[in-house]
Amino acid sequence: MPLSLNPQIHRIGLPGIRKFSNLLVNFPNAINLTIGQPDFAPPEAVKRAGIYALENNLTTYSVNAGLIELRKAVSTFLADKYQCQYDANTEILVTNGASQAIDSVLRTILQEGDEVILPAPIYAGYEPVISYCGAKTVYLDTTDTGFQPSATKLKELITPKTKAVIFNFPSNPTGATITPDQMDALAEVLKEEDIYIVSDEIYSENTFSGEHRSFGYYFELKDRLFLIHGLSKSHAMTGFRIGFLLADAPLIQEVVKVHSFNAICASVPSQYAAIEALTNCRDTPAIMNESYIRRRDYVYKRLKAMEIDVQLPTGAFYIFPSIKKFGLTSEEFAVRLLKEAGVGTIPGSVFTPYGEGYLRITYAYSDQELEEGMNRLERFIQTL
């Protein structure tokens, strides 16, 4: 008999974002607006901290949960910035990026037959993990509520099979944020329900309108909340692979088991760099946000001038215009835009079926690239 693989793996394709970004290898002159990666370098002090760790042989394993110095820095930062109270010794886990935190949490809580609610469109990295855990995804449509989850809709979707709901705000791919009033309404529903809350707040520092409110703000939800953060977006540290998971001590105790077998610990030189980022480089995100806001406004203005239906993002560094009026699927539109006009974007269908008819454009690129990308897009749509 032939050897078999886990059948759940056959149901999972390669990440749609990477599928399209990888296509650009064949189009060397294309403008790449695909990957959500800051075009800034990490702060010099952060790089020096990592170099110091290497030069002084701070390269052995840390404890599974991460350096206590870093966990203390995380605890202080989240308390100062978002009024989240988590004990550094028992309630914080340092992971290899936010993605590993997501994977470890879902593998800890999900069983065969469970249901997980996802507000959609949403980042494409959750559903495959839910699937290979044997659970089922239930989508909460946000396309008619400004890409913000309705508390009423959420309550209607919760069933005895619901194990968790996942939030990602500011949102990838839409750039939407949630107002404090909307957060209050969601919290009112969730505090009455016996389900886990996974809040991926990796873009919290990239909030352009108002102030980000964390689900960690609601103390009454703490016993069921998994709060995910990291430094990839806020400090341009994507390759350092540093994420943070914050949760009530009994929950962290269980997730550490998964983490200890699939990663042992996060990169130790990166952990030392992360301490510097959180203690002495807190102003870095605000500096980068000045550029993001200028770039957002430029792309938004150009799209509106092309008479494309689009919502102004209030966070992250993505914009999610509708391309429904052109009569093409989002994948057809993205492929043709790349092949015929030399602009790389991500079709909205990558971000659940509710993203169909949209296009994700990343504006974490230089002003020159964005201008040329918009010029090419404008010429392209004139041919449709």
Side-chain angles (χ1 to χ4, degrees):
M1 294 179 61
L3 292 172
S4 61
L5 299 173
N6 181 343
Q8 301 291 354
I9 296 299
H10 293 299
R11 302 187 183 103
I12 300 172
L14 290 173
I17 296 172
R18 294 293 172 178
K19 173 184 172 183
F20 272 81
S21 65
N22 291 343
L23 281 177
L24 271 81
V25 173
N26 302 316
F27 300 89
N29 296 319
I31 299 296
N32 182 1
L33 305 180
T34 61
I35 296 296
Q37 176 165 278
D39 68 330
F40 298 93
E44 287 300 317
V46 168
K47 292 189 284 186
R48 288 196 300 270
I51 292 169
Y52 177 88
L54 293 169
E55 291 181 338
N56 288 273
N57 299 317
L58 301 173
T59 55
T60 59
Y61 294 128
S62 72
V63 297
N64 296 126
L67 296 170
I68 186 59
E69 298 93 336
L70 176 53
R71 285 180 279 143
K72 286 180 178 178
V74 173
S75 177
T76 300
F77 177 78
L78 270 292
D80 291 348
K81 194 69 185 286
Y82 302 118
Q83 296 77 54
C84 302
Q85 302 297 324
Y86 287 91
D87 182 78
N89 291 294
T90 60
E91 298 182 324
I92 298 175
L93 169 64
V94 182
T95 60
N96 286 290
S99 295
Q100 196 231 330
I102 294 164
D103 178 84
S104 296
V105 166
L106 294 181
R107 287 205 279 157
T108 299
I109 66 174
L110 294 183
Q111 302 176 67
E112 190 87 24
D114 284 342
E115 293 181 351
V116 180
I117 297 173
L118 292 184
I122 197 169
Y123 171 60
Y126 308 117
E127 195 281 332
V129 184
I130 294 167
S131 179
Y132 73 57
C133 288
K136 175 187 175 183
T137 299
V138 176
Y139 295 119
L140 191 169
D141 182 9
T142 68
T143 56
D144 58 352
T145 53
F147 299 126
Q148 297 164 356
S150 158
T152 301
K153 285 186 179 181
L154 173 63
K155 188 172 182 63
E156 291 172 350
L157 290 176
I158 295 173
T159 73
K161 292 185 178 181
T162 304
K163 177 62 71 71
V165 57
I166 298 178
F167 296 103
N168 170 222
F169 291 94
S171 165
N172 175 8
T174 68
T177 55
I178 308 181
T179 66
D181 286 347
Q182 291 166 318
M183 287 284 286
D184 289 345
L186 292 168
E188 281 298 312
V189 170
L190 292 167
K191 73 181 184 180
E192 301 298 330
E193 300 291 344
D194 191 22
I195 63 174
Y196 289 115
I197 305 150
V198 182
S199 184
D200 181 356
E201 301 180 20
I202 190 71
Y203 293 98
S204 65
E205 290 291 280
N206 304 114
T207 298
F208 308 143
S209 178
E211 294 184 357
H212 174 78
R213 175 173 288 186
S214 171
F215 273 100
Y217 173 85
Y218 300 94
F219 184 78
E220 63 270 31
L221 300 178
K222 186 176 179 180
D223 65 344
R224 70 203 75 173
L225 173 65
F226 293 95
L227 185 60
I228 295 171
H229 271 274
L231 298 174
S232 291
K233 314 302 182 179
S234 63
H235 288 74
M237 293 173 64
T238 53
F240 285 75
R241 308 311 303 134
I242 289 291
F244 313 123
L245 174 65
L246 302 96
D248 213 15
L251 299 178
I252 285 290
Q253 178 180 317
E254 301 304 319
V255 181
V256 166
K257 296 176 185 177
V258 176
H259 168 76
S260 65
F261 285 110
N262 70 13
I264 300 179
C265 67
S267 162
V268 171
S270 293
Q271 290 191 57
Y272 281 102
I275 295 170
E276 183 67 22
L278 290 174
T279 55
N280 297 318
C281 300
R282 288 193 181 187
D283 60 341
T284 294
I287 294 170
M288 293 193 293
N289 285 347
E290 292 178 2
S291 294
Y292 292 146
I293 291 170
R294 185 186 68 251
R295 296 169 184 181
R296 174 203 66 175
D297 291 347
Y298 173 76
V299 173
Y300 176 77
K301 180 179 178 181
R302 289 294 306 272
L303 292 172
K304 294 296 284 187
M306 297 177 212
E307 298 183 345
I308 292 177
D309 183 22
V310 63
Q311 180 174 304
L312 181 71
T314 49
F317 32 67
Y318 309 104
I319 193 165
F320 205 57
S322 170
I323 45 90
K324 295 176 183 178
K325 72 176 188 178
F326 298 108
L328 301 172
T329 68
S330 56
E331 182 165 346
E332 289 169 342
F333 189 98
V335 169
R336 286 188 57 182
L337 179 61
L338 176 60
K339 292 182 176 179
E340 299 174 25
V343 181
T345 58
I346 303 295
S349 55
V350 164
F351 306 101
T352 79
Y354 290 91
E356 178 55 66
Y358 296 88
L359 197 70
R360 192 191 79 173
I361 297 172
T362 305
Y363 51 85
Y365 293 93
S366 72
D367 295 8
Q368 294 78 13
E369 289 174 294
L370 292 173
E371 181 178 2
E372 179 60 23
M374 292 301 101
N375 289 342
R376 294 184 185 188
L377 173 61
E378 185 171 20
R379 290 194 294 267
F380 172 72
I381 64 174
Q382 290 172 351
T383 68
L384 298 178

